[in-house]
Amino acid sequence: MSSDRLEVIVDGSITSARGFRAAGVACGLKKTGALDLALVYSPGPCTAAAMYTTNSFQAAPVLYDREVVARHAAALHGVVINSGCANACTGARGLQDAAATAAEAGRLLGVSGEQLAVMSTGVIGAYLPMDKIRAGIATAVEGLGEDVAHGHAAAHAIMTTDTRPKEIAVRARLGDHEFVVAGMVKGAGMISPNMATLLCVLTTDAALAPAPAAQALREAVEAGFNLITVDGDTSTNDTALLLASGESGAERITSVDSAGYALFRDALTHVVVELAKEMVRDGEGASHFVAIRVSGARSRAEAKQVAMSVAKSPLVKTAVYGRDANWGRVACAAGYSGVAIDPQKVTLWLGDMEVFRHGEPLPLDEGRAAALLAEADVAIRIDLGQGAEEVTAWTCDLTHAYVDVNAHYRS
Amino acid sequence: MSSDRLEVIVDGSITSARGFRAAGVACGLKKTGALDLALVYSPGPCTAAAMYTTNSFQAAPVLYDREVVARHAAALHGVVINSGCANACTGARGLQDAAATAAEAGRLLGVSGEQLAVMSTGVIGAYLPMDKIRAGIATAVEGLGEDVAHGHAAAHAIMTTDTRPKEIAVRARLGDHEFVVAGMVKGAGMISPNMATLLCVLTTDAALAPAPAAQALREAVEAGFNLITVDGDTSTNDTALLLASGESGAERITSVDSAGYALFRDALTHVVVELAKEMVRDGEGASHFVAIRVSGARSRAEAKQVAMSVAKSPLVKTAVYGRDANWGRVACAAGYSGVAIDPQKVTLWLGDMEVFRHGEPLPLDEGRAAALLAEADVAIRIDLGQGAEEVTAWTCDLTHAYVDVNAHYRS
């Protein structure tokens, strides 16, 4: 990733990209009175690309977006997002509610409802309270603004069990013009790739045709969201939506062979990877951020399979929580990943400390291990010794707080 | 399963099968002073069959047993089992230690070390303290006995985080003779099938040739151990060993076409399924036992894949712990199982209460749901509506106590 050509915008938000307005309001979906409805809107038509959950139970907003984003990939105007209710497993009425949400926002904004996407997150199996949604949309449309404070409010409104909003914006120069890529996501549970388990809105003022926009999104998601896990649960509502307003004035990227494509893809990937890492850092109940690097693999796919097997292991995750240098659990999880591994070729590290080499355990310096595990960021490395490919995946630890958060989620 | 032809032996143990002696002793592997070394011994040679973990990191005792059980499938004499140290990821020295353990027991018992299997469970990556092992073997050989108290002691000695021993014995009549099938297992974490994640010793006084013994073990493990999960982690040490002394006097089962094969397989399956359920019931930190029945599947394999996806979901497991009727998480986990599912054909039940039918949620009776979830045993049913096959898998809930047990396992 050519992050040297990218400049991170301090205090950036989705409105850092020109052409976008946002709002975050409270309409009573969350019992706490917290912000729970976000609107992202571009008066000009945007190029759009989206990726969705692979879950067979696709939530109503996912089914709705699949249709409208495909139909209006060259002229989408924005997205309405609510938290507090996922509108999933809600059948025909759920689909009607998703369409009605978009239609109501479109009516007030003066665009077709079909040119707006919708996203929902929260409890599965409950219907959207449409009176509250309608009232919230009216407030959001009235309150739209293009400063970062409005972007921040939208990032707050999409949160569920997240403890903080997750936003980033970067700037890059293409020819004589600068363009911005920005994004926001919500976590923090039911997080496992395939594709990313999350709601994510990405905005840019770069100008793109639909095909390179879709390809760049695929590449960025594979490098970011598809390499994280909190709990191994892939949600019913995952959606990542990219909106490109084209207002930067930078030359239009018409295909993956265009001069600006690689730069745009790198900027988008940087944004997605940073958001993905932020999601893990704020994973439900997390007290450690764990990076698992698998090197020496025959293929990138095998490296990823081993890394994700370790990243999902409850035993690895509880050991990190307990600051217990129980590296045998890392070997164990690599061993059941489904990738053929020869223990005689494997080396393991905790941080920079080698703990296992070519089938044999090394003497463990417990003091050094304790110091490494006292840090908030923990690095685990596995070299498989059978190739040249590598992948890093990210996860968090499994804590008492994760159980707290999830034992009584509906109440 | 023809359990009507089977009689459960009250207070049974592995010594309930004629021809077997057992011992369970403390040799200092566990800091608490609890029993930590077991010996199961038959003076007469036994037919033997075994199944092992599919983990690439196979522990030294697994590598050792693969050789000796294959070589002496018609003449094994028993097994030495220690808890407190898994002898896994221990390289060449680990293999020597496994062989030395068997050799020492063989020397004292007057048989070849190669006619004894070994099993280890506990921390991965540590060497066996051979002085303690040798002393423990001497005590165990001296203390061998064939009453049930000796069987119970052995079942205690193989425990790690188990809160109680898991044993069962059943009796069946074949022609003019009765035979017994008995078993013991240890759980309680790093439990996920493929094959079963556990140590298990099965004894019988039925007479069997190696081939039908191996086939019956495969069928029983598929029906039992391969349908349970505690935490989705498949261990490095899983081994299930069947020893058949032939001392019942019942006719020898020479092939799967023998008259007694189906009865023996059913008896063995009953023993394995009951032990599997006991393992889940005593899963680390468990407060609920959860049976997940998937019906209406196109194949048994697909039914199992959906059931195990639900059984492994941390979100389903924490919801059961919190007595939260959050059935949307069940739908979600079924949806990401990898099996193609049409939500319009799916029906979900919590206990006998239908909660979702053919794509639509049903009104939830929260009082009835609370009563169902207050029970220790929780039943979840998913009908996929696309075929006639069904499978039931078993899991436990994910609790604060699971995190307690696993955050500081080595210390």
Side-chain angles (χ1 to χ4, degrees):
Chain A
M1 202 181 323
S2 331
S3 53
D4 51 326
R5 294 187 295 167
L6 304 176
E7 176 200 347
V8 174
I9 299 172
V10 176
D11 195 36
S13 84
I14 45 160
T15 51
S16 299
R18 276 160 288 186
F20 293 95
R21 302 173 189 178
V25 302
C27 68
L29 298 171
K30 288 181 183 163
K31 291 170 189 162
T32 56
L35 301 185
D36 51 18
L37 189 134
L39 176 62
V40 180
Y41 176 64
S42 160
C46 291
T47 296
M51 292 182 71
Y52 309 98
T53 180
T54 53
N55 197 304
S56 288
F57 285 85
Q58 308 229 325
V62 171
L63 296 170
Y64 179 82
D65 288 359
R66 282 185 183 279
E67 277 203 38
V68 302
V69 176
R71 199 177 300 148
H72 299 285
L76 215 67
H77 281 280
V79 56
V80 184
I81 312 170
N82 74 274
S83 55
C85 173
N87 192 12
C89 293
T90 46
R93 179 168 151 192
L95 274 173
Q96 287 165 17
D97 290 345
T101 298
E104 176 66 7
R107 187 179 69 80
L108 296 175
L109 291 165
V111 298
S112 161
E114 290 206 345
Q115 289 173 285
L116 293 169
V118 293
M119 300 182 185
S120 298
T121 179
V123 175
I124 299 173
Y127 296 116
L128 281 181
M130 289 305 295
D131 286 353
K132 292 178 179 173
I133 295 281
R134 283 197 186 86
I137 289 171
T139 313
V141 169
E142 275 174 34
L144 279 171
E146 60 188 27
D147 54 19
V148 290
H150 281 80
H152 293 336
H156 269 96
I158 66 174
M159 288 165 50
T160 52
T161 52
D162 309 68
T163 67
R164 52 185 182 267
K166 293 153 195 78
E167 309 170 85
I168 183 179
V170 300
R171 188 181 286 121
R173 171 164 290 275
L174 178 58
D176 293 336
H177 295 272
E178 285 182 337
F179 69 87
V180 170
V181 178
M184 66 178 188
V185 287
K186 62 122 307 211
M190 221 178 246
I191 300 293
S192 195
N194 227 341
M195 86 85 180
T197 314
L198 54 108
L199 300 185
C200 175
V201 177
L202 300 157
T203 57
T204 182
D205 46 23
L208 289 119
Q215 178 61 25
L217 183 61
R218 272 193 296 275
E219 294 189 43
V221 164
E222 180 56 30
F225 297 143
N226 281 1
L227 288 173
I228 62 171
T229 185
V230 169
D231 49 19
D233 277 275
T234 299
S235 99
T236 48
N237 288 54
D238 301 350
T239 305
L241 175 69
L242 168 65
L243 295 169
S245 70
E247 302 228 343
S248 64
E251 192 181 349
R252 185 172 167 89
I253 297 163
T254 55
S255 83
V256 296
D257 301 319
S258 296
Y261 177 76
L263 178 63
F264 175 76
R265 180 203 56 205
D266 289 352
L268 188 68
T269 299
H270 183 85
V271 165
V272 168
V273 167
E274 291 305 310
L275 289 173
K277 287 157 81 170
E278 270 306 297
M279 287 173 71
V280 167
R281 216 174 274 285
D282 191 29
E284 285 173 345
S287 70
H288 285 86
F289 172 85
V290 189
I292 297 145
R293 178 177 160 206
V294 175
S295 58
R298 279 182 293 250
S299 68
R300 201 184 132 76
E302 288 196 352
K304 177 180 170 182
Q305 195 172 335
V306 172
M308 292 303 293
S309 183
V310 174
K312 288 181 186 176
S313 162
L315 291 171
V316 171
K317 291 154 71 80
T318 45
V320 171
Y321 172 49
R323 303 182 181 186
D324 182 0
N326 197 340
W327 58 264
R329 293 178 174 178
V330 174
C332 178
Y336 66 68
S337 65
V339 172
I341 289 174
D342 178 359
Q344 302 303 321
K345 295 182 177 169
V346 172
T347 306
L348 299 182
W349 292 262
L350 174 62
D352 55 354
M353 183 172 66
E354 207 174 349
V355 293
F356 176 87
R357 188 198 302 151
H358 297 171
E360 308 282 345
L362 301 176
L364 186 66
D365 180 339
E366 293 278 2
R368 203 168 145 203
L372 285 166
L373 290 165
E375 299 288 328
D377 285 25
V378 171
I380 291 170
R381 184 174 161 207
I382 306 160
D383 189 276
L384 301 178
Q386 52 190 25
E389 295 297 320
E390 71 169 73
V391 156
T392 299
W394 301 283
T395 191
C396 53
D397 51 356
L398 173 56
T399 68
H400 287 103
Y402 177 86
V403 178
D404 285 335
V405 169
N406 283 301
H408 307 281
Y409 180 66
R410 290 188 318 138
S411 41
Chain B
M1 201 183 320
S2 332
S3 53
D4 51 326
R5 294 186 295 166
L6 304 177
E7 177 201 348
V8 175
I9 299 172
V10 176
D11 195 35
S13 84
I14 45 161
T15 51
S16 298
R18 277 160 287 187
F20 292 96
R21 302 174 189 177
V25 303
C27 69
L29 298 170
K30 288 181 183 164
K31 291 170 190 163
T32 56
L35 302 185
D36 51 17
L37 189 135
L39 176 60
V40 180
Y41 176 63
S42 160
C46 291
T47 297
M51 292 182 72
Y52 308 98
T53 181
T54 53
N55 197 304
S56 289
F57 285 84
Q58 308 229 325
V62 171
L63 296 170
Y64 179 82
D65 288 359
R66 282 185 183 278
E67 277 202 39
V68 301
V69 176
R71 198 178 300 149
H72 300 285
L76 217 67
H77 281 280
V79 56
V80 184
I81 312 171
N82 75 274
S83 54
C85 173
N87 192 12
C89 294
T90 45
R93 179 168 152 194
L95 274 173
Q96 287 164 16
D97 290 345
T101 299
E104 176 66 6
R107 187 179 69 79
L108 296 175
L109 291 165
V111 299
S112 160
E114 290 207 346
Q115 290 173 285
L116 293 170
V118 293
M119 299 182 185
S120 298
T121 178
V123 175
I124 298 173
Y127 296 116
L128 280 180
M130 289 305 295
D131 286 354
K132 292 178 180 174
I133 294 281
R134 284 197 186 85
I137 289 171
T139 313
V141 169
E142 276 175 34
L144 280 170
E146 60 189 27
D147 53 20
V148 291
H150 282 80
H152 293 335
H156 269 95
I158 65 173
M159 288 166 49
T160 52
T161 52
D162 309 69
T163 66
R164 52 185 182 267
K166 294 154 195 76
E167 308 170 85
I168 182 178
V170 300
R171 187 181 286 121
R173 171 164 289 277
L174 178 59
D176 292 336
H177 295 272
E178 285 183 336
F179 69 86
V180 169
V181 179
M184 66 178 188
V185 288
K186 62 121 306 209
M190 222 178 246
I191 300 295
S192 194
N194 226 343
M195 83 94 189
T197 314
L198 54 110
L199 300 185
C200 174
V201 177
L202 300 156
T203 57
T204 183
D205 47 22
L208 289 117
Q215 178 61 24
L217 183 61
R218 272 194 297 274
E219 294 191 43
V221 164
E222 180 56 30
F225 297 143
N226 281 1
L227 288 173
I228 62 171
T229 185
V230 168
D231 49 18
D233 277 274
T234 299
S235 99
T236 49
N237 288 54
D238 300 350
T239 305
L241 176 68
L242 168 65
L243 296 168
S245 70
E247 302 227 344
S248 64
E251 192 180 350
R252 185 173 167 90
I253 298 163
T254 55
S255 84
V256 295
D257 301 318
S258 297
Y261 177 75
L263 178 62
F264 175 77
R265 179 202 58 204
D266 288 352
L268 188 69
T269 298
H270 183 84
V271 165
V272 168
V273 168
E274 291 305 309
L275 289 173
K277 287 157 81 170
E278 270 306 295
M279 288 174 70
V280 167
R281 217 174 274 284
D282 192 30
E284 284 173 344
S287 70
H288 285 87
F289 172 84
V290 189
I292 296 146
R293 179 176 160 207
V294 174
S295 58
R298 279 181 293 251
S299 68
R300 200 183 134 77
E302 287 196 353
K304 177 180 170 182
Q305 195 172 335
V306 172
M308 292 302 293
S309 183
V310 175
K312 287 180 186 176
S313 162
L315 291 170
V316 171
K317 292 154 70 79
T318 45
V320 171
Y321 172 49
R323 303 184 181 185
D324 183 359
N326 198 340
W327 58 263
R329 293 179 175 176
V330 174
C332 178
Y336 65 69
S337 65
V339 172
I341 289 175
D342 178 358
Q344 302 302 321
K345 295 182 178 168
V346 172
T347 306
L348 299 182
W349 291 262
L350 174 62
D352 55 354
M353 184 172 65
E354 207 174 349
V355 293
F356 176 87
R357 188 197 303 152
H358 298 169
E360 309 282 344
L362 301 176
L364 187 66
D365 181 339
E366 293 278 2
R368 203 169 146 205
L372 285 166
L373 290 165
E375 300 287 328
D377 284 25
V378 171
I380 291 170
R381 184 175 161 206
I382 306 161
D383 189 277
L384 302 178
Q386 53 190 24
E389 295 298 321
E390 72 169 71
V391 157
T392 300
W394 301 283
T395 192
C396 54
D397 51 357
L398 173 56
T399 68
H400 286 103
Y402 177 86
V403 178
D404 284 334
V405 168
N406 282 300
H408 307 282
Y409 179 66
R410 290 188 318 138
S411 41

